[in-house]
Amino acid sequence: MPTTLIEPFRIKSVEPIRMTTRAEREALLEKARLNPFLLRADDVLLDFLTDSGTGAMSAKQWAAIMEGDESYAGARSFFRLEAVIKNLTGYEHLIPTHQGRAAERILFAVATHPGDLVPNNTHFDTTRANLEVDGVEAVDLVIPEGLDPKNLHPFKGNIDLEKVAELLEREGHRIPFGMMTVTNNSGGGQPVSMANLRAYAQLLKRHGKPLVLDVCRFAENAMFVKLREPGFADRSIESIVQEMFSLADGCTMSAKKDGLVNIGGFIALKDDRWVEAARNLLILTEGFPTYGGLAGRDLEALAVGLEEVLHEDYLRYRLRTAEYMGEKLKAGGVQIVEPTGGHAVYLDAKAFLPHLGPEDYPAWSLANALYLEGGLRGVEIGSVMFGKRLEDGTETYHAMELVRLAFPRRVYTQSHFDYAAEVICELKAKAGEVRGVRIRKQSRFLRHFTAEFGWA
Ligand SMILES: *Cc1c(COP(=O)(O)O)cnc(C)c1O
């Protein structure tokens, strides 16, 4: 039997991508001040900057777009999406938003108070920022294995239950709810087991605290559960997803990930708590409750996306993509974060560029080199993103120097990935030539988006 895992779709509409010469890329990167965020997407061959909102919609989704009901109030498209989400989550209330962070902003505004504390396996950066802006402390409690790039634990997104129990004892009065991010994006797209989620939910319940899930990649997580967790091999993805939601009281979602759409998000809540206040804020900042931050056609595309993302052949192919890239890179002597997660591969830049010191920003330098070598765009997750320049001019550096290559859904074919792996492995062979960079200009917050660099 053939073992090659094929893309479980054929292509009906294509978008050309443009090959550039190395000389052109050198000029383009100089013009972008050595910051890949400042490149024009047309000048990138394979864009692995993010898996968020970059996926391809299916023919069924495009057809559903024509069915969009753009009525201001009570649109048919809302009820269609509501039915799909009710079936998946079992939750009564749907609050659509324009993307994930808007869902966070609204829920946190109504469900937290200044001085509160929210535990999570790892807060995604917008989740953390939306808590902190309300004066809430965001506490990351992922298991220690989740912080070790070489540990092969099957569920490195799990939360440390002992630490949670201890925190509930000590700071329980400050905790309005617990959160869990599935999969754990900031921890490398690593999955959470059903057993861990159940134990966490029970622990919270014993202290009278609800559980809110950040479910951006709920389907990828369910597939990992099916493949890795004892007792789930014969279960349908839909039933695994339903069981996961049944353990919690609500969720926030960026539909730009496992919603298989280019824009969208929502809050879904099991009971009435928070609903009225959240809807009032929704009207103020997003839109009327039956469309929130979206057009009717967006709601339709999302309703279809949430059904398509459960298909097992799709999920098998999806998880296999990252695994396949990981295998190719390891065979070429490239160190990555293991095991590969659901949506991305992370290159260890310190191991790739041992001749560079922290002041050379190795992960940033590697991201630049990948562009120069083969037109690839990844994102630095290292000292430019997490370090900072202090008042006295000294720099702080991050412990890990990673380049994340995140994979858009249903966009690139196996030969695109073969090409990307080849580029990376060829670069590895001449890694000594890669030059470090220095920051020439930076902003105070989120500096990686706009910073300007020069060669070291
Ligand atoms: C993307 C993401 C968000 C934020 O969603 P946006 O749609 O980008 O606003 C929140 N949490 C996680 C885990 C994410 O991956």
Side-chain angles (χ1 to χ4, degrees):
M1 207 171 103
T3 54
T4 304
L5 198 68
I6 61 166
E7 290 85 4
F9 49 80
R10 55 186 178 175
I11 296 166
K12 181 174 262 184
S13 175
V14 298
E15 186 182 10
I17 49 178
R18 189 169 72 91
M19 195 65 97
T20 47
T21 64
R22 182 167 183 117
E24 283 173 320
R25 289 192 293 276
E26 279 170 5
L28 290 162
L29 192 62
E30 287 291 344
K31 206 169 140 224
R33 311 276 183 229
L34 309 185
N35 184 342
F37 278 106
L38 304 182
L39 288 167
R40 288 189 178 215
D42 276 348
D43 297 327
V44 174
L45 184 66
L46 300 179
D47 204 345
F48 299 136
L49 193 64
T50 176
D51 66 321
S52 178
T54 52
M57 290 207 294
S58 66
K60 258 194 186 161
Q61 286 179 291
W62 282 109
I65 276 184
M66 286 305 295
E67 300 273 342
D69 177 358
E70 306 301 345
S71 303
Y72 192 93
R76 177 180 66 238
S77 303
F78 172 82
F79 297 107
R80 177 165 182 206
L81 177 62
E82 185 186 49
V84 169
I85 290 176
K86 244 185 208 169
N87 171 54
L88 279 186
T89 63
Y91 302 164
E92 250 338 277
H93 308 285
L94 166 65
I95 297 172
T97 60
H98 80 276
Q99 60 185 82
R101 68 198 70 183
E104 294 169 346
R105 176 84 202 99
I106 289 172
L107 184 68
F108 300 162
V110 305
T112 69
H113 298 281
D116 280 356
L117 179 160
V118 172
N120 200 333
N121 44 0
T122 312
H123 290 86
F124 182 64
D125 56 8
T126 62
T127 320
R128 170 176 289 278
N130 273 303
L131 286 167
E132 289 177 352
V133 78
D134 290 334
V136 179
E137 194 181 335
V139 180
D140 294 340
L141 296 176
V142 74
I143 54 171
E145 291 89 335
L147 299 171
D148 173 1
K150 287 184 191 158
N151 193 300
L152 293 175
H153 192 289
F155 291 101
K156 286 171 85 172
N158 282 355
I159 201 163
D160 188 325
L161 295 165
E162 268 176 43
K163 286 201 186 125
V164 173
E166 194 265 333
L167 192 69
L168 280 164
E169 288 298 332
R170 188 161 45 86
E171 302 277 6
H173 61 286
R174 291 175 62 203
I175 299 176
F177 53 81
M179 283 194 83
M180 188 85 115
T181 308
V182 291
T183 60
N184 192 21
N185 184 4
S186 304
Q190 299 292 334
V192 174
S193 74
M194 194 72 79
N196 184 256
L197 192 64
R198 177 172 293 107
Y200 180 44
Q202 284 168 351
L203 200 51
L204 287 165
K205 195 172 228 165
R206 242 178 281 141
H207 289 259
K209 312 289 184 190
L211 170 59
V212 175
L213 303 176
D214 177 343
V215 289
C216 298
R217 296 175 184 79
F218 71 94
E220 291 172 10
N221 199 85
M223 191 68 193
F224 277 119
V225 167
K226 183 176 171 91
L227 295 174
R228 295 184 183 170
E229 191 161 353
F232 288 91
D234 297 327
R235 293 269 301 274
S236 72
I237 295 296
E238 185 180 52
S239 82
I240 295 172
V241 167
Q242 286 166 336
E243 180 172 339
M244 178 193 83
F245 279 108
S246 76
L247 298 173
D249 301 280
C251 67
T252 57
M253 168 87 181
S254 168
K256 298 171 73 170
K257 284 76 172 233
D258 273 354
L260 300 181
V261 290
N262 304 114
I263 193 75
F266 59 84
I267 305 168
L269 296 168
K270 194 178 256 176
D271 59 32
D272 294 343
R273 169 180 33 196
W274 303 326
V275 172
E276 198 183 329
R279 285 227 164 98
N280 288 339
L281 196 51
L282 184 80
I283 292 171
L284 196 65
T285 61
E286 292 278 297
F288 188 79
T290 55
Y291 70 84
L294 295 168
R297 55 178 168 271
D298 299 326
L299 303 174
E300 292 281 344
L302 176 54
V304 177
L306 288 174
E307 286 172 345
E308 286 183 353
V309 79
L310 305 175
H311 295 183
E312 247 175 66
D313 49 0
Y314 161 74
L315 286 168
R316 223 174 264 285
Y317 138 84
R318 174 72 180 156
L319 301 193
R320 177 64 188 146
T321 300
E323 188 184 53
Y324 178 78
M325 270 299 273
E327 285 168 6
K328 290 218 144 196
L329 293 174
K330 277 197 293 180
V334 176
Q335 197 164 306
I336 58 167
V337 175
E338 294 189 81
T340 47
H343 67 292
V345 163
Y346 296 70
L347 312 180
D348 183 338
K350 279 190 194 170
F352 204 105
L353 304 172
H355 61 293
L356 298 187
E359 70 286 355
D360 294 314
Y361 296 105
W364 197 275
S365 302
L366 180 56
N368 279 343
L370 293 175
Y371 178 69
L372 294 177
E373 183 69 18
L376 312 182
R377 178 158 68 171
V379 66
E380 186 246 29
I381 301 192
S383 296
V384 177
M385 187 177 276
F386 294 119
K388 55 178 155 221
R389 186 169 291 172
L390 303 176
E391 294 284 330
D392 65 3
T394 55
E395 297 284 345
T396 68
Y397 299 102
H398 190 60
M400 303 253 269
E401 289 284 345
L402 304 176
V403 174
R404 184 187 78 178
L405 303 174
F407 305 136
R409 292 170 179 78
R410 308 191 289 200
V411 168
Y412 294 121
T413 63
Q414 183 167 344
S415 46
H416 290 124
F417 289 102
D418 286 340
Y419 167 87
E422 245 179 277
V423 167
I424 297 166
C425 294
E426 278 174 18
L427 180 66
K428 172 74 186 147
K430 51 182 175 184
E433 294 168 23
V434 173
R435 295 166 68 184
V437 296
R438 294 285 184 273
I439 300 179
R440 298 278 184 250
K441 195 173 158 216
Q442 57 179 301
S443 62
R444 271 190 65 199
F445 301 106
L446 299 171
R447 64 179 179 173
H448 50 286
F449 289 127
T450 54
E452 298 181 3
F453 296 80
W455 296 112

